[in-house]
Amino acid sequence: MDGVTATGVRAHARIVARPDGRGGTALPVLDGEGPLALRRTRAAGGEARVLVVGAMSGPLGGDRLALTASVAEGARLHVGSAAATIALPGQTKAEARYDVRLDVADDAELRWLPEQLISAGGSDLYVTTHAELTAGARLVLREEQVLGRSGEEPGRLTSRLTVRIAGRTVLDQELACGPGAPGGWDGPAVLAGQRAVGQLVVVRPEFAQEPVRAQALGECAALIPLAGPAALLSAVAPDALRLRRLLDEALARFD
């Protein structure tokens, strides 16, 4: 259950996708709480589509938010969000957390394509995304972070992204930015003064036989194969618009 305590909001949203027996995908569980409202939208082919709608401001300092999505064998699910998520300072100086857990079974596909996460000045957010896939699962996962609104210094943002396939970790990376983060985050080896950073992870069983070729995509993005049937694009940009353009161009290579 969701609730509000002296240290912030507690909320957990859940999505479960299963084949409907008619070539489509059913959503037997679509349960949003607090600031994480879930809305089913028009399906496309056999794919079910869900939007995460921000029903409250946040995450704020002290909030504990979680979202889990499980895609059963043979199901196809597309999850997006209605607008950017903005991490804001709260009444407490405590760190906020937003934890995402994704499970995808054999012969199932998840497209996880939310809008940007914006780290507003004075905020402190730790966000984790953990994807657990079986050997025959398919995944497209986009993650975008923007440091500060227009003309604003960012808050502190720590982001950890983990992808496991058939019980083996193929990606586990963490990036901390903003006030109090380890030194060097804004230097030439990390963001180099840019204010938007993003990742695109694509998992496809056929990559086991035909791995993606490592290559630079312009000056600010790189595509690399992972140690499994997966590929990672990492990109930085001056702003959210140019970051999205880079990620969209990369995704078009796989669609």
Side-chain angles (χ1 to χ4, degrees):
M1 297 292 292
D2 62 312
V4 181
T5 71
T7 56
V9 172
R10 303 290 189 270
H12 185 185
R14 303 166 184 83
I15 307 169
V16 175
R18 295 175 183 159
D20 64 5
R22 302 185 301 275
T25 298
L27 298 173
V29 178
L30 190 63
D31 182 18
E33 292 184 342
L36 301 174
L38 303 176
R39 301 288 183 267
R40 181 165 189 165
T41 62
R42 184 183 298 274
E47 178 185 75
R49 295 196 167 199
V50 174
L51 276 182
V52 181
V53 180
M56 300 165 57
S57 295
L60 306 176
D63 287 355
R64 297 291 184 270
L65 309 181
L67 195 158
T68 58
S70 177
V71 189
E73 184 173 350
R76 296 174 58 206
L77 176 65
H78 181 293
V79 179
S81 55
T85 297
I86 305 178
L88 296 165
Q91 294 182 348
T92 171
K93 294 186 179 298
E95 173 189 78
R97 285 193 64 104
Y98 188 2
D99 298 311
V100 174
R101 166 75 186 223
L102 310 173
D103 291 280
V104 191
D106 280 336
D107 193 33
E109 180 175 356
L110 172 62
R111 295 175 69 86
W112 185 263
L113 300 170
E115 295 301 310
Q116 297 92 352
L117 170 61
I118 301 172
S119 175
S123 64
D124 186 357
L125 175 64
Y126 190 101
V127 56
T128 67
T129 302
H130 183 108
E132 192 79 30
L133 291 80
T134 61
R138 302 169 73 87
L139 173 71
V140 175
L141 183 154
R142 183 180 67 210
E143 183 177 83
E144 300 167 290
Q145 288 106 29
V146 180
L147 304 181
R149 294 167 290 192
S150 179
E152 176 185 61
E153 289 299 310
R156 175 164 178 169
L157 175 63
T158 305
S159 173
R160 184 168 184 174
L161 174 60
T162 306
V163 179
R164 286 168 47 88
I165 303 173
R168 186 173 72 162
T169 300
V170 300
L171 177 65
D172 190 357
Q173 67 177 26
E174 183 173 286
L175 176 65
C177 304
W185 66 269
D186 206 20
V190 187
L191 296 188
Q194 309 279 20
R195 283 297 175 264
V197 57
Q199 288 74 233
L200 180 71
V201 178
V202 180
V203 178
R204 292 185 175 170
E206 54 266 31
F207 288 168
Q209 302 300 323
E210 298 182 11
V212 169
R213 181 173 59 88
Q215 56 189 298
L217 302 180
E219 296 182 357
C220 298
L223 178 64
I224 59 171
L226 298 176
L232 169 69
L233 174 87
S234 294
V236 295
D239 54 49
L241 182 63
R242 278 175 275 192
L243 176 65
R244 176 62 60 84
R245 187 178 300 128
L246 283 170
L247 297 181
D248 283 350
E249 289 173 356
L251 184 57
R253 293 169 173 258
F254 300 103
D255 287 342

